[in-house]
Amino acid sequence: MADPAQEGRRLSRSFSGLALLGALLVVAGLVGLVYTGVATLTSMILFGWLLLIGGLVGLLHAIQSRGTSYFWLGVVVAALNIAAGVVVIRHPHGTAEALTMFAALLFLTGGVFRLVGSVVVRGPQFGWTLLQGAFGLLLGLLVLFDWPHSSLYVLGCFFSLALLFDGLGLIAIGVGGRRIVSMVSDQLTPAGGAQGGQDQPSGDGQKRSDS
């Protein structure tokens, strides 16, 4: 049977590792918010490598499943991922411009749909939906009017914010997990001591009876 104290220390180290990883992500997010151009370029290169590696893995799976009905579909999807990954890695700035334009169009269409939907439906969340639609429309227009210069900072800003919030979430999980493990360990330790104290008198009584 595993020692509860040893398991508690192991869990505590695991949660400490999560908190440390979260701190590193927070630092990376803050640095990315300062140097948004570098963050944009880094995010594009990472995106390209993810596409390339995913395409290679998909191609290996397709080769292993040759003879099945979805073999050629897997080959085509893997080839497209590999080609897209190579293009993104070789042309990160052009890819950033294209994705920034796509993001601006998404903001615009999403904002328009929310505005129209909030006015037509007028549900209980009317004000909040109206505010979301106006914010999305304004953000899309700002990104679109400043394009292609906005491609230098928009994606990097989003990437850095994602790192920042993910890091804060990991720090919260790590710190909260360590507190829970500490509370459980503190509750288990007196119980073990009390049990040991109850076992000792019974042993003394047995010795007296034997004598």
Side-chain angles (χ1 to χ4, degrees):
M1 186 176 180
D3 186 12
Q6 184 177 0
E7 290 295 323
R9 288 192 294 270
R10 185 180 64 82
L11 287 175
S12 181
R13 287 194 298 268
S14 299
F15 284 118
S16 298
L18 284 179
L20 179 60
L21 178 60
L24 293 177
L25 291 180
V26 168
V27 172
L30 293 175
V31 172
L33 288 176
V34 176
Y35 302 100
T36 53
V38 177
T40 298
L41 186 62
T42 303
S43 63
M44 289 298 96
I45 293 175
L46 288 176
F47 180 57
W49 278 107
L50 286 176
L51 287 175
L52 183 59
I53 294 173
L56 292 175
V57 172
L59 185 60
L60 290 177
H61 281 293
I63 293 174
Q64 290 176 356
S65 63
R66 60 183 178 276
T68 59
S69 57
Y70 53 86
F71 167 71
W72 288 109
L73 178 61
V75 171
V76 171
V77 172
L80 290 175
N81 285 333
I82 292 173
V86 171
V87 170
V88 172
I89 293 172
R90 294 187 61 182
H91 305 284
H93 295 288
T95 305
E97 292 180 1
L99 290 179
T100 303
M101 173 65 73
F102 182 68
L105 294 177
L106 282 180
F107 289 140
L108 284 174
T109 54
V112 170
F113 275 112
R114 283 192 177 92
L115 284 175
V116 174
S118 63
V119 172
V120 172
V121 177
R122 290 185 177 272
Q125 302 293 330
F126 168 74
W128 179 247
T129 307
L130 187 67
L131 182 62
Q132 283 182 324
F135 179 76
L137 183 61
L138 178 61
L139 185 60
L141 290 175
L142 290 175
V143 174
L144 190 60
F145 287 159
D146 198 28
W147 189 87
H149 181 263
S150 58
S151 62
L152 297 177
Y153 58 86
V154 170
L155 298 179
C157 183
F158 290 161
F159 179 66
S160 302
L161 287 175
L163 290 178
L164 179 62
F165 287 115
D166 287 343
L168 291 175
L170 288 178
I171 290 175
I173 293 173
V175 174
R178 279 181 58 88
R179 288 180 179 176
I180 293 175
V181 170
S182 178
M183 291 171 59
V184 173
S185 300
D186 291 340
Q187 291 178 358
L188 289 177
T189 301
Q195 185 177 0
Q198 292 176 359
D199 292 341
Q200 186 65 32
S202 62
D204 296 339
Q206 185 178 1
K207 291 180 180 178
R208 288 194 297 270
S209 61
D210 292 340
S211 61

